[in-house]
Amino acid sequence: MKFVDEAFIDVAAGDGGNGCVSFRHEKYKEFGGPNGGDGGRGGHVYALADPNLNTLVDFRFSRRHEAKRGEHGMGSDMFGAAADDIVLKMPVGTIISDAETGEVLYELLQPGEKIMIAKGGDGGFGNMRFKSAINRAPRQKTPGWPGEKKNLKLELKVLADVGLLGMPNAGKSTLISAISNARPKIADYPFTTLHPNLGVVRVGPEQSFVVADVPGLIEGAAEGAGLGHQFLRHLQRTRLLLHLVDLAPFDDAVDPVAQAKAIVAELKKYDAALYEKPRWLVLNKLDMVPADERAARVKDFVKRFKYKGPVFEISALTREGCEHLVQAIYQHVKAQQVAEQVPVEVDPRFAADE
C-alpha cells in the first residue's frame, strides 16, 4: 500500500428538507386547519479515528464527500426523515485544517474518537408551526437550512513515543526490527526507508512504547536534498528522539562527527520545537569496530561532537546493548507520561481527613 500522509478533501453536509403547506381535508370538517410538517435534517459528516488505518491513501483518490439532504415535510402532520450521516475513517493522529486559511480545526488523537466536521442543515418549518389564534389558516413555510461545506486539508502525524533520527544507512531500520516486530526493508544502500515505519516495543507485561522510523535526513534537506524534511512532521509528537550515528562508515573519508552535526543543524532549521526535544545519542555498528578501539573511538566522538547528554553504545545487528537502551527509553517515556497526566480533583466532601 502506498504511504500517503497528506490529502485534500471537499466535504458537504446535507441541506435540510423544506417545510410543507397543507390543510386537513376530512368529511364534515369544513375548516380542518393546517397540518404541514417540518422538513428533515440534512446528513452530518463525521471523522472517526480508526486505529486500523495508517495512511490517508483512501482520500487521495476519493476527494468529494457529500451527505444527502433531508426529506421534505408532508401533509397529515408528517415530518420529513433525517438523512443518513457520513462517517469518514481516518488514521489516529490526523490533523484536519482549513485548506484555504491553514487554520487547524480538529485533531484525532484517541482511537475511536468521533468528531463532526460538517453539520447538516436543519429542516424548514411547515405551516402547522405558524398556526395561532389570529392566523388559523397560515400559508407560510420556510425552506431547509443549507448544510456546511468545507475544503479541508488532512495531514497525518504518526503517534509515537520515540523517533529515530539519523543519516541514511545509520541503522535505524535495523534497530527497529531488532527491538520490535516491525519488519521494514533493510539494504546496504541509502534511502532504503521511503516512508515512516512504526514498531511496538514490548518491555514487559503491559509495558510497551512505540518507535517511529523515518527516512534518513541528509545535509541540505531543508532545501529539498534527498527526501527532504517532509517526513520530519512525524517526529513532532514524540517524547524522545534517538540520534543514531554510524560509528564505522564504509568510506574512511566520511567523518561521523560532521554528519551528526549536519543532522542537528537540519533539525534546527526545520522546527525549533523539535530541536528542543530530549535527544539521546546512540552510537551504532560497534560490532564493526575492533574491541580494543571502541572506548577510544567513542570518547573521541563525544568530545568532538561536544555532547553532554546520555550516550548509548549498541550494535543493532547483533543486538548488543539494545536491552539496556530499551529499558532506559521505557523509564523515560513512563516518567513523561506520568508528568503529563492531569491531576484529578477530589471532592472535598470525600477527601480523607488529614
Side-chain angles (χ1 to χ4, degrees):
M1 179 187 296
K2 183 178 180 181
F3 182 84
V4 175
D5 59 357
E6 190 175 279
F8 292 87
I9 62 172
D10 300 326
V11 296
D15 297 336
N18 298 329
C20 173
V21 173
S22 175
F23 295 91
R24 295 176 63 186
H25 297 282
E26 298 179 22
K27 192 174 183 181
Y28 305 122
K29 286 200 178 283
E30 185 177 359
F31 303 103
N35 67 350
D38 297 345
R41 171 187 61 79
H44 300 316
V45 181
Y46 289 95
L48 175 66
D50 189 344
N52 298 315
L53 299 178
N54 56 13
T55 176
L56 296 171
V57 67
D58 293 336
F59 298 100
R60 178 64 62 88
F61 306 105
S62 178
R63 178 164 181 171
R64 179 74 178 176
H65 302 275
E66 184 173 354
K68 294 183 178 180
R69 73 172 303 156
E71 290 187 3
H72 301 312
M74 293 168 281
S76 302
D77 300 337
M78 289 192 293
F79 286 24
D84 293 333
D85 299 329
I86 290 180
V87 179
L88 305 179
K89 295 183 179 180
M90 302 179 184
V92 180
T94 300
I95 298 175
I96 305 172
S97 56
D98 190 295
E100 298 175 358
T101 64
E103 178 188 1
V104 175
L105 304 176
Y106 318 99
E107 292 188 55
L108 300 175
L109 301 179
Q110 300 294 332
E113 185 176 4
K114 190 176 182 180
I115 297 174
M116 182 191 296
I117 58 177
K119 183 180 183 300
D122 293 328
F125 294 150
N127 67 335
M128 61 182 294
R129 291 274 190 173
F130 299 96
K131 182 176 64 173
S132 67
I134 60 175
N135 188 11
R136 298 184 179 184
R139 297 185 180 277
Q140 298 101 318
K141 66 173 183 177
T142 59
W145 276 261
E148 292 182 331
K149 295 176 174 58
K150 296 180 181 179
N151 298 326
L152 301 176
K153 176 184 178 183
L154 307 182
E155 185 180 14
L156 175 61
K157 292 183 180 179
V158 298
L159 297 178
D161 300 304
V162 182
L164 303 183
L165 188 69
M167 299 286 285
N169 275 17
K172 301 185 296 299
S173 297
T174 305
L175 176 61
I176 196 174
S177 65
I179 63 178
S180 73
N181 287 331
R183 293 294 177 263
K185 182 180 179 181
I186 299 173
D188 57 357
Y189 54 86
F191 306 117
T192 309
T193 302
L194 299 179
H195 57 78
N197 294 296
L198 291 180
V200 179
V201 181
R202 303 288 182 185
V203 182
E206 299 184 0
Q207 296 179 346
S208 64
F209 58 87
V210 181
V211 179
D213 169 29
V214 300
L217 195 66
I218 66 175
E219 188 173 3
E223 288 75 37
L227 295 181
H229 56 265
Q230 58 178 320
F231 293 113
L232 282 181
R233 68 166 71 101
H234 298 291
L235 300 180
Q236 291 177 330
R237 285 176 169 159
T238 57
R239 295 183 171 91
L240 174 66
L241 297 178
L242 298 184
H243 187 172
L244 258 70
V245 176
D246 181 0
L247 210 59
F250 291 113
D251 189 354
D252 294 335
V254 174
D255 184 7
V257 176
Q259 288 188 335
K261 289 182 177 179
I263 291 291
V264 175
E266 292 299 327
L267 199 63
K268 193 172 185 179
K269 285 182 185 178
Y270 176 75
D271 185 1
L274 189 59
Y275 172 79
E276 296 295 333
K277 280 186 179 290
R279 189 169 63 252
W280 292 357
L281 183 62
V282 180
L283 303 179
N284 191 22
K285 302 187 181 180
L286 284 182
D287 57 299
M288 303 292 293
V289 181
D292 55 343
E293 299 180 11
R294 291 182 184 179
R297 189 173 295 192
V298 170
K299 183 178 180 180
D300 175 68
F301 180 93
V302 174
K303 181 179 179 181
R304 292 169 55 205
F305 190 47
K306 298 180 181 179
Y307 179 78
K308 297 181 180 179
V311 180
F312 295 87
E313 307 168 25
I314 70 165
S315 170
L317 185 64
T318 64
R319 304 192 180 187
E320 178 184 353
C322 290
E323 182 62 27
H324 174 60
L325 175 63
V326 166
Q327 294 293 337
I329 292 173
Y330 176 73
Q331 295 302 326
H332 177 84
V333 170
K334 183 180 178 181
Q336 284 208 346
Q337 288 175 339
V338 172
E340 291 172 1
Q341 289 180 351
V342 179
V344 179
E345 294 185 5
V346 180
D347 193 316
R349 298 175 296 173
F350 303 102
D353 294 334
E354 297 183 359

